[in-house]
């Protein structure tokens, strides 16, 4: 997936049964651990208590500063639900989050100190090494997986772009799958290679700054509502992920992994089975360009893209299908927005969809602001 950056990822797992009539977003009931660059977070009462203590500290300082969760998220920057889940103790706080929150809330080092205490406790409880080799098996080709439906939401914030990617996927191969690759590619100046190289030499992509998280729910609609509301009626165990290697200043690759807490038994997506997954990540503004592109890796039944910009920016948006690099085959099409009002922001929203798409199809969205030259 690309936009002023590109993101390619998927995931696979096996969900456990739910009670009949339970319509809440559903995360994997088997406790998973987050794997990232060589460490493992285990789920235990001591660690959960430490997370909740850190979250309470952040919330007290945020409320004392008169900021909403959304306002704090914009200044970090991160997704609003990240702030909500960190404050609730249901998400692991990162060093970047702690540093930025400490600065924004003028905490004088308190938040960073609380995070360091949490890290010390987590380190003491960490007893299992993270696997460093590439997970196998992964989908071997475009015919091994089908995306039944994909929905992408892109929102322009003051200092970043927030992206939410939700998919219903189906294993069409002959083997179970327990891992999928991640590839993030950004390019602030895609039409000027020299300028882009110089810019990203000074502003390289950093995995930690993407605030990447992966989720699981019973349906795309449930997942979207859950991510937007930040409600935590059922604990949302994060799906495992790790950055594998930095390719260039603009590309990073990694994996989404699904394993049980003992890291021995995988939770595979078996042939013929389906699963609903979602990913959220944030790209700092200096890394992003005025475009977003979906390069489909698999056959896709339905693709939906929603772009949201502050109405005051007076944005214009175009979409174009690219076939084997031949943009002239499909002229750019102007997309008409609708408008939404919210307590702190009036939005201009562009919605676009297409059906029955093939692997390797590409759709490129470009935008221009009224004050752009």
């Amino acid at each position: 997936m690309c936009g002023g950056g590109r993101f390619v990822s998927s995931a696979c797992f096996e969900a456990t049964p739910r009670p009949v009539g339970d319509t809440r977003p559903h995360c994997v009931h088997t406790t998973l651990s987050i794997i990232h660059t060589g460490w493992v977070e285990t789920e235990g009462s001591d660690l959960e208590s430490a997370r909740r203590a850190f979250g309470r500290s952040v919330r007290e300082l945020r409320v004392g500063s008169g900021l909403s969760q959304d306002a704090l998220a914009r200044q970090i920057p991160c997704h609003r639900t990240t702030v909500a889940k960190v404050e609730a103790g249901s998400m692991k706080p990162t060093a970047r989050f702690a540093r930025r929150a400490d600065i924004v809330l003028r905490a004088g080092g308190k938040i960073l100190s609380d995070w360091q205490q949490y890290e010390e406790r987590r380190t003491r409880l960490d007893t299992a090494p993270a696997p460093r080799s590439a997970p196998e098996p992964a989908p071997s080709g475009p015919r091994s997986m089908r995306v039944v439906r994909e929905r992408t939401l892109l929102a322009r914030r003051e200092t970043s772009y927030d992206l939410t990617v939700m998919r219903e996927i189906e294993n069409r191969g002959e083997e179970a799958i327990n891992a999928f690759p991640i590839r993030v590619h950004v390019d602030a100046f895609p039409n000027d290679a020299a300028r882009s190289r110089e810019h990203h030499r000074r502003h390289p992509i950093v995995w930690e700054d993407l605030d990447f998280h992966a989720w699981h729910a019973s349906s795309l609609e449930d997942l979207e509502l859950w991510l937007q509301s930040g409600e935590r009626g059922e604990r949302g165990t994060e799906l495992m992920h790790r950055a594998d290697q930095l390719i260039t200043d603009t590309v990073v690759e990694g994996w989404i992994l699904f394993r049980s807490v003992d890291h021995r038994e995988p939770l595979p997506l078996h042939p013929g089975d389906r699963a609903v997954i979602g990913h959220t990540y944030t790209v700092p503004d200096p890394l992003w360009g005025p475009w977003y592109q979906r390069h489909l890796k698999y056959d896709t039944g339905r693709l939906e893209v929603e772009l949201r910009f502050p109405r005051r920016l007076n944005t214009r948006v175009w979409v174009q299908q690219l076939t084997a690099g031949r943009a002239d085959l499909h002229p750019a099409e102007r997309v008409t927005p609708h408008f939404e009002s919210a307590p702190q922001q009036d939005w201009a929203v562009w919605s676009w969809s297409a059906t029955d798409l093939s692997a390797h199809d590409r759709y490129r969205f470009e935008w221009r602001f009224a004050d752009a030259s």
Side-chain angles (χ1 to χ4, degrees), residues 352-368:
W352 175 91
S353 64
T355 57
D356 297 326
L357 311 178
S358 300
H360 307 304
D361 282 354
R362 292 184 294 158
Y363 294 87
R364 183 183 180 95
F365 298 81
E366 297 187 20
W367 52 84
R368 296 291 182 272

Side-chain angles (χ1 to χ4, degrees), residues 243-286:
D244 197 45
Q245 57 182 324
L246 182 66
I247 306 301
T248 69
D249 289 336
T250 62
V251 179
V252 64
E253 293 183 345
W255 297 90
I256 294 177
L257 310 176
F258 295 88
R259 295 178 180 275
S260 58
V261 70
D262 60 8
H263 306 293
R264 296 187 181 93
E265 296 297 329
L267 301 171
L269 182 67
H270 294 286
D273 285 354
R274 294 184 179 185
V276 172
I277 57 175
H279 320 281
T280 60
Y281 60 103
T282 298
V283 179
D285 187 54

Side-chain angles (χ1 to χ4, degrees), residues 93 116 162 178 235 249 259 350 352:
Q116 290 170 342
D162 288 349
N178 56 36
R235 192 180 79 169
D249 289 336
R259 295 178 180 275
W350 285 261
W352 175 91

Side-chain angles (χ1 to χ4, degrees), residues 131-244:
R132 292 181 177 273
S133 59
E136 295 291 346
S140 58
R143 301 302 176 188
S144 62
M145 180 71 70
R146 176 176 180 265
V147 176
V148 180
R149 181 185 170 197
E150 177 181 314
R151 177 165 171 75
T152 295
L153 310 176
L154 180 150
R156 173 71 163 88
R157 304 292 181 178
E158 292 183 6
T159 59
S160 66
Y161 286 86
D162 288 349
L163 286 100
T164 300
V165 182
M166 297 168 285
R167 294 188 182 97
E168 180 180 1
I169 58 176
E170 178 183 6
N171 182 356
R172 285 195 162 186
E174 298 181 353
E175 297 182 353
I177 300 170
N178 56 36
F180 235 69
I182 305 166
R183 179 180 174 87
V184 182
H185 177 203
V186 298
D187 192 346
F189 305 102
N191 298 320
D192 190 334
R195 184 181 182 187
S196 181
R197 283 194 300 271
E198 178 60 27
H199 175 80
H200 288 289
R201 189 174 295 116
R202 292 182 286 108
H203 302 283
I205 186 172
V206 178
W207 176 258
E208 288 77 9
D209 288 348
L210 297 178
D211 192 30
F212 176 82
H213 300 281
W215 312 97
H216 167 221
S218 58
S219 71
L220 291 180
E221 290 76 14
D222 285 346
L223 180 59
E224 183 173 354
L225 288 172
W226 184 57
L227 291 174
Q228 289 177 348
S229 67
E231 294 179 357
R232 296 163 298 279
E234 181 173 349
R235 192 180 79 169
T237 302
E238 283 204 57
L239 305 180
M240 296 188 290
H241 66 273
R242 81 161 189 252
D244 197 45

